Amino acid sequence: MKHIKVGDLMTDEVVSVLTSTPFKDVAKLLAQHDISGLPVLDDDDRVLGVVSESDLIGRVASDHPPMGEEPGAGRGGAVFPSEVTFTAGEAMSAPAVTVHADETAAGAARLMARRGVERLPVVDDEDRLVGIVTRRDLLWLFLRPDSEIRHRVVADILVDTMGLGADAVTVHVVDGIVTLEGRLERQSQVPVLIRLTSQLDGVVAVAPRLTARIDDSLLTPPHRSALGMSL
């Protein structure tokens, strides 16, 4: 089956900074482009980390004394600079969580959820930046038209993958919910069809109303002797 890839959804014009980029320049870029984070690169465009608004705020907070303490003095008598001078490399979260353009968009969404990040730099085989994909980009998966989902169930799953006829079952799709209704030849085909349909990009849920002519789940292959003869 064909799946939407990260390369189909990513933005290839990426706002990025170097590790040496000053704090103020990073903050200006975030504000100008209305984004909450960006990749941090080395001189060869390899992704080293990601710097976000929360990274900057956390670093500023750690570099300034709590309210009530004398300005310019921190814990243990440490002196705080009057100007924020740290760089993107000092504030970034590293190593960066990245993906490749040929990975599936669904896999990228699962990676985002598992790692708790809002964006994934897209890199080539040498970890050089080629794009970026965000949670907003991946929402497209759930906006796939119902007519296209139905076509994929019929053409990609029923015909190409399972070798069945296009009219083997009736397929209805409403708001991403796929209803499969009909009678298949074998019972073992039922869970396969349900599983493949649920994995299709854009599918929210599957409502199976399927039966089978033959219950082959109760059939066992004939026992064979050491000589390969059926007994």
Side-chain angles (χ1 to χ4, degrees):
M1 292 187 298
K2 297 178 181 178
H3 289 282
I4 298 173
K5 300 299 181 69
V6 168
D8 299 325
L9 300 177
M10 74 179 189
T11 300
D12 52 14
E13 295 183 3
V14 187
V15 181
S16 60
V17 295
L18 298 174
T19 55
S20 58
T21 302
F23 156 80
K24 283 192 172 182
D25 291 342
V26 176
K28 286 179 182 178
L29 286 172
L30 293 176
Q32 289 172 358
H33 295 276
D34 191 24
I35 53 180
S36 59
L38 40 78
V40 182
L41 314 180
D42 64 12
D43 293 333
D44 296 317
D45 288 337
R46 285 190 291 266
V47 179
L48 300 180
V50 173
V51 62
S52 66
E53 292 172 333
S54 58
D55 291 325
L56 297 182
I57 292 172
R59 181 57 193 262
V60 168
S62 67
D63 281 0
H64 286 72
M67 293 180 62
E69 292 187 8
E70 292 186 13
R75 293 185 180 88
V79 177
F80 290 96
S82 59
E83 188 79 9
V84 177
T85 58
F86 64 83
T87 64
E90 295 170 313
M92 70 181 183
S93 297
V97 182
T98 62
V99 294
H100 291 91
D102 59 355
E103 294 185 32
T104 66
R110 287 192 291 269
L111 178 60
M112 276 188 185
R114 187 169 65 250
R115 299 297 295 272
V117 296
E118 297 183 359
R119 68 199 60 79
L120 294 171
V122 185
V123 297
D124 62 15
D125 292 337
E126 297 182 4
D127 290 332
R128 291 181 301 226
L129 183 69
V130 296
I132 196 164
V133 64
T134 67
R135 287 184 178 179
R136 181 175 299 177
D137 296 327
L138 295 177
L139 284 176
W140 190 90
L141 290 175
F142 301 100
L143 300 177
R144 200 172 195 181
D146 290 340
S147 58
E148 183 179 345
I149 293 174
R150 183 186 183 281
H151 173 73
R152 293 302 176 191
V153 172
V154 173
D156 293 355
I157 299 177
L158 289 176
V159 177
D160 291 348
T161 303
M162 299 186 67
L164 303 174
D167 57 351
V169 299
T170 301
V171 181
H172 296 290
V173 185
V174 179
D175 294 335
I177 300 175
V178 182
T179 300
L180 303 170
E181 188 171 4
R183 191 180 192 188
L184 294 171
E185 180 67 16
R186 301 188 306 275
Q187 180 64 35
S188 60
Q189 294 173 317
V190 173
V192 173
L193 176 56
I194 295 172
R195 176 174 55 82
L196 292 177
T197 301
S198 66
Q199 293 174 348
L200 194 65
D201 295 330
V203 171
V204 176
V206 179
R209 299 173 183 172
L210 300 169
T211 59
R213 193 177 69 85
I214 299 173
D215 186 0
D216 57 346
S217 63
L218 301 178
L219 301 179
T220 56
H223 178 70
R224 292 184 176 274
S225 68
L227 298 178
M229 301 291 290
S230 296
L231 299 179

